[in-house]
Amino acid sequence: MVSDRILWSSEGYNALYLSAPTTKPVLSLAAPLATVVEGFTSPQSFSATVTLSAASTLPVTVRYETYRDDEADNPASVGTDYQAVSGVLNFPAGTTTQTISIPILDDSFVESQESIQLRLLDPTNSLLVPEQSKLDITISEIGRAHV
């Protein structure tokens, strides 16, 4: 891209003007919100789907990581509620879908819903749109029998 710029307006939003549009595909998480019910199976995991808007002729990579948002209403605890994951997803040329598996732990406590976050970072040969690069996952115990 050449001579791109972001303009800020007095209305509080911005506009991105591309002077040379890119042909790179966009990476995105399938949904911005998801729910998993804790304790139905053991071991249990949540699968997050990452997609490319179009197949690329080049290999695409993107880093990913779970993180705890301490500003969330009820953040889940690493090691008690879920196992933290991080790594690099590789999309060979022509591939448009990959998955990230997040282990969900059964802590045997009766709790309120808890949340964890997953984000995509540092893409190569592709682009990230902020609204499509984060996923809020709710760990719920609804429907779970407690003794």
Side-chain angles (χ1 to χ4, degrees):
M1 292 189 275
V2 179
S3 300
D4 298 329
R5 56 195 168 142
I6 297 176
L7 301 178
W8 297 92
S9 74
S10 60
E11 288 85 30
Y13 63 90
N14 60 45
L16 176 65
Y17 294 90
L18 300 176
S19 56
T22 182
T23 58
K24 291 181 180 180
V26 176
L27 282 159
S28 64
L29 287 158
L33 301 170
T35 300
V36 60
V37 178
E38 177 184 330
F40 277 153
T41 62
S42 184
Q44 182 175 9
S45 65
F46 174 80
S47 293
T49 302
V50 181
T51 59
L52 276 174
S53 59
S56 176
T57 58
L58 300 171
V60 169
T61 64
V62 65
R63 282 191 330 104
Y64 64 90
E65 65 184 13
T66 52
Y67 66 100
R68 178 184 163 122
D69 182 356
D70 288 324
E71 294 182 17
D73 287 338
N74 196 17
S77 298
V78 174
T80 303
D81 297 307
Y82 71 101
Q83 286 181 353
V85 296
S86 63
V88 176
L89 274 183
N90 295 296
F91 290 78
T95 303
T96 58
T97 304
Q98 295 287 13
T99 59
I100 300 167
S101 182
I102 303 168
I104 305 299
L105 305 176
D106 184 2
D107 58 17
S108 300
F109 298 117
V110 177
E111 305 170 287
S112 302
Q113 293 183 345
E114 300 167 297
S115 63
I116 60 175
Q117 288 69 38
L118 173 68
R119 64 181 157 208
L120 303 177
L121 307 154
D122 305 327
T124 59
N125 298 321
S126 62
L127 300 173
L128 284 178
V129 176
E131 298 82 26
Q132 298 173 350
S133 64
K134 293 182 180 178
L135 174 61
D136 290 323
I137 304 160
T138 299
I139 300 174
S140 174
E141 297 193 29
I142 295 172
R144 181 176 170 188
H146 297 284
V147 288

